[in-house]
Amino acid sequence: MSDLPKRVTINEEGPREGFQSEKKMIPVADKVRLIEALADTGLKHIACVSYVNPKRVPTMADAEEVAAKINLKPGVQYSALWLNQQGLERALRGPLHVDGGVRVTASDTFSRKNIGKSVADAMVEQRMSLKTFKDRGMPVEWGTILGAFGCNYEGELSTDLILQRVQLALDEAELAGFKLKGIKLTDAMGWATPASVERLIGAVRSKWPDLEISLHLHDTRGTGAAAAYAGLRMGVTKFDASVAGLGGCPFAATDGAAGNICTEDFAFMCEEMGVETGLDIERLIDVAKLAEEIVGRPLPGHLMRGGTLNAARRKVAA
Amino acid sequence: MSDLPKRVTINEEGPREGFQSEKKMIPVADKVRLIEALADTGLKHIACVSYVNPKRVPTMADAEEVAAKINLKPGVQYSALWLNQQGLERALRGPLHVDGGVRVTASDTFSRKNIGKSVADAMVEQRMSLKTFKDRGMPVEWGTILGAFGCNYEGELSTDLILQRVQLALDEAELAGFKLKGIKLTDAMGWATPASVERLIGAVRSKWPDLEISLHLHDTRGTGAAAAYAGLRMGVTKFDASVAGLGGCPFAATDGAAGNICTEDFAFMCEEMGVETGLDIERLIDVAKLAEEIVGRPLPGHLMRGGTLNAARRKVAA
């Protein structure tokens, strides 16, 4: 299709998002095994751990240990998430990549639930992290709007509010001496539909035509693949996804807090439509099966059960 | 979104597609319970049973009994599927609605596997059923192209081949004295992507601008919601779907033969985008949970776990 991008980049969120939301503890060796297997599929960005308060997210208490044990493959960015200055300092002491970004939560209530601070207070704290990035000469290129499509605590969020949040991210970055090149719109609470993806991206684009846009979608209500396709149609070339559909946000107040869109399913859909991903989808399926083995329950990915069409084509040719 | 249809009709395929592909026998009472619960959700078309060879599809051996026990609600069409003249005669003896249609399988090999006949032989047999419809004064309005998006046995199918199959359906109907008003494109083997949906519908539309189009999609590889959304964008207003994502085609040679797109997930997506479905989605979620209870395993629907956004909005308002 001529109106879809030629190529997209998929950031893998499975280890961080996925293990964070599991109820049982996953052994460090299993986490490392999954991360290393993901690095063999062509993925260039893998979110591995969160440096968060182990009292709030016990499954991430081993972040330092996991980070230390990964056999880092050249050319792959293994990243660590952090939510506050304390987490950032832990992340910076570790061996993983730390994204120098600026984050703004769309809904004030979700901000309080997710990071324990109002949007305004969170911005004050971000000034400290932005200063840390500046002092260390780290780039700050992306702003992230958390929960940009709606909020389980506040309901609908107006497009105007989201545009204000984008402005806030741009302003805070500028104040610290940075110019953002892109905005990531995230939907941890699973409110996005294809229509709202088109609407919000359209609104951001018409105000800031030069900003790149990235999408972080969750498949909470079965709209994930369609919303991602709407993003592709809008020319989005950066997507977060999670192998086998691992994951969920533990503070999103959704009963069945669902994972990101599924990496291998989305990559398969892209490749079948002529959108390059650079990923080895058969290998991703093997990793998806490994993820199921590790968490010990079926995960939502479809392709690992249905098989690729290339496999079906090979069978026909044989 | 102004370019989406105002309203769509969803045909429920769960009982037929779903129970047909279950390995274990489902008690008649459970089948009837599910069908009756579906009829209370606003669905107007429910595919209930298949009159097929019980040796090939043992789970449908009870078709007569199920059909007889359904408490038929006025205004709802409870339909029966049949694959050959013998099945048609059984269906006509029963109390359920029998669609007077014409069916053409796209791939000759799939035709042999699915109904035991080549495309040509199947057409000869259809002449008998078309004559039966004519004799009984039954309307024949829809043609169905089975496996229109690709074939696990033959691989890619050219758009030209599919257009020939549509022509064949139109010709055979005309020969029997009928004029088709629409064509249903089905994808039992899960090959459709948003791009191929757009391409094929575009090709059919440009040749027959007045033909209505209906989509029967399976979510074998995680592209179902996106392919359905592509259909909506192309103005399709008729979709088959399956509650909880029940189902699969037992002769499709896919390891994880997956069900149709999920009724309540798709209906939810439509309603959230302003496309009316006439369905009570909260009730559909209850029926999806009942379907899981009946088959005794988790089914792929997402919404029954994530909950509707209207439920989330009510919580916010409370």
Side-chain angles (χ1 to χ4, degrees):
Chain A
M1 303 295 289
S2 60
D3 55 348
L4 299 181
K6 277 201 165 38
R7 197 182 162 83
V8 295
T9 303
I10 300 178
N11 290 338
E12 174 59 37
E13 290 280 310
R16 182 189 67 75
E17 283 258 10
F19 294 142
Q20 161 181 298
S21 60
E22 287 301 310
K23 284 191 183 83
K24 64 171 188 176
M25 295 298 287
I26 309 285
V28 169
D30 281 344
K31 293 186 178 182
V32 171
R33 193 153 60 110
L34 188 84
I35 292 164
E36 291 180 353
L38 285 165
D40 286 333
T41 64
L43 286 163
K44 298 295 176 208
H45 308 265
I46 304 171
C48 298
V49 298
S50 287
Y51 289 101
V52 287
N53 186 340
K55 282 182 197 145
R56 297 192 75 224
V57 188
T59 50
M60 280 292 154
D62 57 10
E64 270 84 1
E65 201 184 340
V66 171
K69 289 206 168 141
I70 303 165
N71 190 355
L72 302 172
K73 188 172 168 169
V76 176
Q77 203 171 64
Y78 301 79
S79 72
L81 185 85
W82 46 275
L83 291 182
N84 55 25
Q85 186 66 16
Q86 199 184 350
L88 173 59
E89 280 160 18
R90 280 170 70 198
L92 289 169
R93 282 194 299 272
L96 303 188
H97 172 79
V98 176
D99 260 324
V102 55
R103 271 194 297 259
V104 185
T105 304
S107 135
D108 203 65
T109 318
F110 181 52
S111 182
R112 290 170 201 269
K113 300 279 179 183
N114 194 38
I115 56 173
K117 287 191 175 64
S118 70
V119 171
D121 288 350
M123 288 318 302
V124 171
E125 177 148 32
Q126 300 245 345
R127 293 184 183 171
M128 290 168 63
S129 39
L130 285 163
K131 185 175 179 313
T132 305
F133 299 139
K134 197 74 196 171
D135 292 348
R136 290 176 159 247
M138 291 166 66
V140 170
E141 299 184 321
W142 283 83
T144 299
I145 311 300
L146 295 159
F149 294 92
C151 175
N152 291 347
Y153 303 103
E154 295 192 2
E156 314 295 338
L157 302 171
S158 72
T159 301
D160 273 356
L161 175 74
I162 307 304
L163 295 181
Q164 284 169 30
R165 298 307 199 213
V166 174
Q167 187 67 62
L168 185 59
L170 291 166
D171 289 348
E172 288 290 337
E174 199 183 327
L175 202 68
F178 297 106
K179 184 171 161 43
L180 297 186
K181 73 171 189 185
I183 286 288
K184 182 190 283 194
L185 302 170
T186 80
D187 182 36
M189 290 171 284
W191 282 60
T193 66
S196 65
V197 163
E198 290 182 8
R199 196 162 50 233
L200 186 53
I201 292 178
V204 172
R205 280 267 171 71
S206 71
K207 193 153 179 195
W208 298 282
D210 297 331
L211 268 187
E212 281 186 64
I213 292 173
S214 165
L215 280 173
H216 174 101
L217 300 167
H218 282 250
D219 198 14
T220 312
R221 297 174 170 93
T223 63
Y229 174 61
L232 282 176
R233 286 191 62 102
M234 297 294 287
V236 173
T237 58
K238 288 185 193 307
F239 292 84
D240 288 353
S242 182
V243 70
L246 259 174
C249 172
F251 305 111
T254 305
D255 295 325
N260 287 100
I261 58 168
C262 171
T263 306
E264 66 277 12
D265 290 10
F266 178 61
F268 162 79
M269 182 170 87
C270 286
E271 293 281 346
E272 284 291 328
M273 299 195 297
V275 178
E276 289 169 32
T277 63
L279 303 182
D280 182 331
I281 295 171
E282 310 284 350
R283 279 198 182 187
L284 272 170
I285 289 178
D286 291 339
V287 184
K289 290 174 180 168
L290 174 64
E292 279 197 332
E293 199 185 302
I294 289 174
V295 301
R297 61 184 171 86
L299 291 168
H302 285 67
L303 195 70
M304 65 174 143
R305 276 170 273 277
T308 64
L309 288 180
N310 282 338
R313 289 178 188 114
R314 280 194 302 272
K315 239 178 181 170
V316 170
Chain B
M1 304 294 291
S2 59
D3 54 351
L4 299 181
K6 277 202 164 37
R7 194 179 166 85
V8 295
T9 303
I10 300 179
N11 289 340
E12 174 60 37
E13 291 279 311
R16 182 189 67 75
E17 283 258 11
F19 294 143
Q20 161 180 300
S21 60
E22 286 301 308
K23 284 190 184 84
K24 65 169 187 177
M25 295 297 287
I26 309 285
V28 169
D30 281 345
K31 292 186 179 182
V32 171
R33 193 153 60 110
L34 189 83
I35 291 164
E36 292 180 352
L38 285 165
D40 287 333
T41 65
L43 286 162
K44 298 294 175 211
H45 309 264
I46 304 172
C48 298
V49 298
S50 287
Y51 289 101
V52 288
N53 186 341
K55 282 182 195 144
R56 296 192 76 224
V57 187
T59 49
M60 281 291 154
D62 58 9
E64 271 84 2
E65 199 185 341
V66 171
K69 290 206 168 143
I70 303 165
N71 189 356
L72 302 172
K73 188 173 169 167
V76 176
Q77 202 172 63
Y78 300 79
S79 72
L81 186 85
W82 46 275
L83 291 183
N84 55 27
Q85 186 66 15
Q86 198 185 350
L88 173 59
E89 280 159 19
R90 280 172 69 199
L92 288 171
R93 282 194 298 272
L96 304 188
H97 172 80
V98 175
D99 260 324
V102 54
R103 273 195 297 258
V104 185
T105 304
S107 135
D108 204 64
T109 318
F110 181 52
S111 182
R112 290 171 200 270
K113 300 279 179 183
N114 194 38
I115 57 173
K117 287 191 176 60
S118 69
V119 170
D121 287 350
M123 287 320 301
V124 172
E125 177 148 31
Q126 300 246 344
R127 291 183 186 173
M128 291 167 63
S129 39
L130 285 163
K131 185 176 179 312
T132 306
F133 300 138
K134 198 73 196 171
D135 292 347
R136 290 175 159 249
M138 292 167 63
V140 170
E141 300 184 319
W142 283 82
T144 299
I145 310 301
L146 295 159
F149 294 92
C151 175
N152 292 346
Y153 303 102
E154 295 193 2
E156 314 297 336
L157 301 171
S158 71
T159 301
D160 273 355
L161 176 74
I162 307 305
L163 295 181
Q164 285 169 30
R165 298 308 199 211
V166 174
Q167 187 67 62
L168 186 58
L170 291 166
D171 290 348
E172 288 290 338
E174 200 183 326
L175 202 67
F178 298 106
K179 184 172 161 46
L180 298 186
K181 73 171 191 184
I183 285 287
K184 183 190 279 194
L185 302 170
T186 80
D187 182 35
M189 290 171 284
W191 282 62
T193 65
S196 65
V197 163
E198 291 182 7
R199 197 163 49 233
L200 187 54
I201 292 179
V204 173
R205 281 265 171 70
S206 70
K207 194 153 179 194
W208 297 283
D210 296 330
L211 269 186
E212 282 186 64
I213 291 174
S214 164
L215 281 173
H216 174 102
L217 299 167
H218 282 249
D219 198 15
T220 312
R221 297 172 171 96
T223 62
Y229 173 62
L232 282 176
R233 287 191 62 103
M234 297 294 287
V236 174
T237 59
K238 289 187 192 306
F239 292 85
D240 288 352
S242 184
V243 71
L246 259 174
C249 172
F251 304 110
T254 304
D255 295 324
N260 287 100
I261 57 167
C262 171
T263 306
E264 67 277 13
D265 290 11
F266 178 60
F268 161 80
M269 183 170 86
C270 287
E271 292 281 346
E272 284 290 328
M273 299 195 297
V275 178
E276 288 170 31
T277 63
L279 303 181
D280 182 332
I281 295 172
E282 310 284 350
R283 279 197 181 187
L284 273 170
I285 289 178
D286 291 339
V287 184
K289 290 175 181 168
L290 173 64
E292 279 197 333
E293 200 186 301
I294 289 174
V295 301
R297 61 184 170 86
L299 291 168
H302 284 69
L303 195 69
M304 63 175 143
R305 277 168 272 278
T308 64
L309 289 180
N310 282 338
R313 289 177 188 115
R314 282 195 300 273
K315 237 178 181 170
V316 170

